[in-house]
Amino acid sequence: MIGRWHGLVVDCPDPRALAGFYEELLGMVRVQDDGDFVVIGDAPDRPGVAFARVEAWVPPRWPEETARMHFDVRVADREAAGRQVRELGARRLPGGGESFDVYADPAGHPFCLVSW
């Protein structure tokens, strides 16, 4: 095992509104709310569904485009985990930040290795 699943992030124009919809739909509770990043789940210490603000949001066209979501995988050592996922066929993508690196899986879907 390289890491453990931390969450699924859904890009959207209004994280609080979309989180409210899914709270009702899925019976989850809000476990984090930073305005531009809102997380719902069944407990703060378990994987959840996050909603992240994207200013230039363009919804996918169904069925021509796939959904715009990505996994966050929490790891203890992002550099070591990055080597491991590349060995499995992932490739590093541009972007990232102080606490996350962005990769594409072998099929091209983005995901992040996160740590803090």
Side-chain angles (χ1 to χ4, degrees):
M1 180 174 87
I2 295 171
R4 64 184 175 96
W5 180 47
H6 175 68
L8 177 69
V9 179
V10 179
D11 295 339
C12 63
D14 186 346
R16 286 183 172 151
L18 195 56
F21 170 82
Y22 280 99
E23 282 176 302
E24 291 296 318
L25 180 64
L26 303 173
M28 294 181 163
V29 296
R30 197 162 297 204
V31 296
Q32 178 183 344
D33 187 343
D34 298 329
D36 289 340
F37 192 81
V38 179
V39 181
I40 64 172
D42 60 358
D45 63 339
R46 301 201 12 101
V49 180
F51 303 89
R53 182 178 311 281
V54 173
E55 293 299 330
W57 171 251
V58 177
R61 290 174 289 139
W62 181 262
E64 296 84 15
E65 297 178 352
T66 60
R68 295 182 184 174
M69 298 180 192
H70 70 269
F71 280 98
D72 276 359
V73 180
R74 189 171 178 180
V75 298
D77 181 333
R78 288 193 347 249
E79 186 176 331
R83 283 192 302 272
Q84 290 175 296
V85 298
R86 286 191 305 273
E87 289 171 4
L88 294 174
R91 63 184 164 82
R92 181 78 189 264
L93 294 175
E98 209 171 287
S99 61
F100 68 100
D101 298 318
V102 184
Y103 291 84
D105 68 19
H109 301 104
F111 68 95
C112 295
L113 298 179
V114 302
S115 63
W116 57 89

